[in-house]
Amino acid sequence: MASVGECPALVSVKEKKLMDVKLGELPSWILMRDFTPKGIAGAFQRGYYRYYNKYINVKKGSFSGVTMLLGAYVLFNYCISYKELKHERRRKYH
């Protein structure tokens, strides 16, 4: 969202957040991202700190941050073992 003195049309595509990018600007926005190992590590680091400061490092915390991590872990393991689980559903055990 633009501030009072800033016109949204004057912001370059590279400086926009993903949620602010129009569909026609999406290919050029993706091409401007840094896909070097250092850039990818920086993106993971920013994501980690954003998650940590939003859900873990708060005055009145709850189980939501830990629950999201646990849910992501369960979903990741299910996706990894889906190939083996897919064959189990058609087997008869009696």
Side-chain angles (χ1 to χ4, degrees):
M1 186 166 212
S3 63
V4 176
E6 182 182 341
C7 180
L10 298 178
V11 178
S12 69
V13 177
K14 185 175 183 177
E15 296 173 359
K16 288 185 180 181
K17 295 181 181 178
L18 178 60
M19 295 300 293
D20 298 333
V21 175
K22 302 270 193 258
L23 194 57
E25 300 171 336
L26 188 61
S28 61
W29 183 84
I30 290 173
L31 290 174
M32 290 184 186
R33 299 295 101 196
D34 185 13
F35 289 108
T36 63
K38 185 177 179 181
I40 294 171
F44 275 105
Q45 185 178 17
R46 285 190 306 275
Y48 168 76
Y49 284 122
R50 183 175 179 188
Y51 172 83
Y52 180 79
N53 288 325
K54 187 171 184 178
Y55 295 108
I56 306 298
N57 191 21
V58 292
K59 287 184 181 178
K60 288 187 172 183
S62 67
F63 291 111
S64 62
V66 178
T67 305
M68 278 190 258
L69 280 178
L70 184 62
Y73 175 74
V74 168
L75 183 65
F76 176 74
N77 281 328
Y78 180 77
C79 291
I80 295 295
S81 62
Y82 179 75
K83 192 173 182 180
E84 290 83 22
L85 292 172
K86 180 173 70 171
H87 297 295
E88 292 287 328
R89 63 183 169 191
R90 292 201 179 111
R91 291 191 181 153
K92 294 183 179 179
Y93 293 102
H94 57 282

